[in-house]
Amino acid sequence: MTRVWKWNRPVTVREVLEDLQRERSIAYTTVMTVLDNLHQKGWVRREAEGRAYRYEAVSTRAAYAAALMNDAWSQSDNPAAALVAFFGMMSEEQRQALRDAMRIAQGPEAAESRETPARVTEKRDENRDENPHEKAGRNPDEKAEEKAEEKADENPGRNPDGIVAENPASAEGDPGR
């Protein structure tokens, strides 16, 4: 596959054989068998050209590597831990490549909206000054939920809206009627 990916075009058994023979002695039938096996497994497609075939990769090497990583990651019982361990094994160059890939995958909109941690903190503080509920550290919905819970605790026969239930146990979620 390395040769097929390297040339990025349909190749013949003869071309692959000649390239491999620069490094070591190998038989034509061995190369032919390997390319035929790759075809049967769906890694390459082939088209007849005279009495021979031209083989072409079905996907790129990058797509193959991504599929391998995805397969390994999906088999983990703790994907987050697997990612942390994987990132820990990366060199600084690989981590930079990952950051670059994330920027590309997220698109230009994400790059424009990306802010430094200092700016995010600064904006949050500005919003707290404008929103009195956030000054207290809670939004209005959280406060309303807390008040409803307090009411329910004080009045077990009533639901959070103050309506009396037929059976006080049913207001607490007990199906024991």
Side-chain angles (χ1 to χ4, degrees):
M1 279 307 300
T2 301
R3 298 309 199 269
V4 177
W5 281 324
K6 180 175 98 174
W7 291 327
N8 197 26
R9 64 172 173 76
V11 298
T12 64
V13 172
R14 175 76 49 204
E15 290 173 316
V16 175
L17 173 71
E18 289 172 359
D19 190 49
L20 288 171
Q21 284 182 333
R22 291 183 196 152
E23 299 170 12
R24 61 190 165 117
S25 177
I26 189 166
Y28 180 91
T29 54
T30 301
V31 176
M32 184 176 65
T33 300
V34 169
L35 284 169
D36 186 56
N37 288 342
L38 290 169
H39 175 258
Q40 289 177 19
K41 291 179 179 183
W43 288 53
V44 295
R45 62 180 148 256
R46 68 182 181 194
E47 284 190 33
E49 184 177 279
R51 292 179 36 201
Y53 287 108
R54 282 206 173 265
Y55 295 87
E56 182 177 18
V58 170
S59 68
T60 64
R61 187 177 205 144
Y64 170 70
L68 282 176
M69 289 187 287
N70 187 54
D71 185 48
W73 184 49
S74 66
Q75 290 181 29
S76 173
D77 60 344
N78 187 341
L83 282 175
V84 169
F86 179 65
F87 297 151
M89 295 177 195
M90 297 173 101
S91 68
E92 182 53 40
E93 294 79 26
Q94 290 169 322
R95 284 192 288 277
Q96 184 58 51
L98 177 63
R99 285 188 284 274
D100 294 343
M102 290 295 295
R103 279 199 250 355
I104 291 167
Q106 291 172 345
E109 307 85 37
E112 290 172 7
S113 67
R114 189 172 294 109
E115 297 177 353
T116 65
R119 180 63 185 136
V120 170
T121 302
E122 186 178 302
K123 282 179 94 175
R124 186 187 64 227
D125 292 343
E126 288 171 6
N127 288 340
R128 277 199 181 138
D129 292 340
E130 294 170 14
N131 187 345
H133 297 293
E134 286 197 20
K135 267 187 181 175
R138 294 178 283 188
N139 66 34
D141 294 336
E142 288 174 338
K143 280 187 153 182
E145 287 173 14
E146 283 179 18
K147 282 185 180 179
E149 288 173 8
E150 288 171 11
K151 273 187 180 179
D153 290 341
E154 293 169 6
N155 302 307
R158 298 178 181 267
N159 66 19
D161 296 322
I163 300 170
V164 177
E166 292 177 26
N167 177 356
S170 68
E172 295 171 13
D174 182 6
R177 280 191 141 167

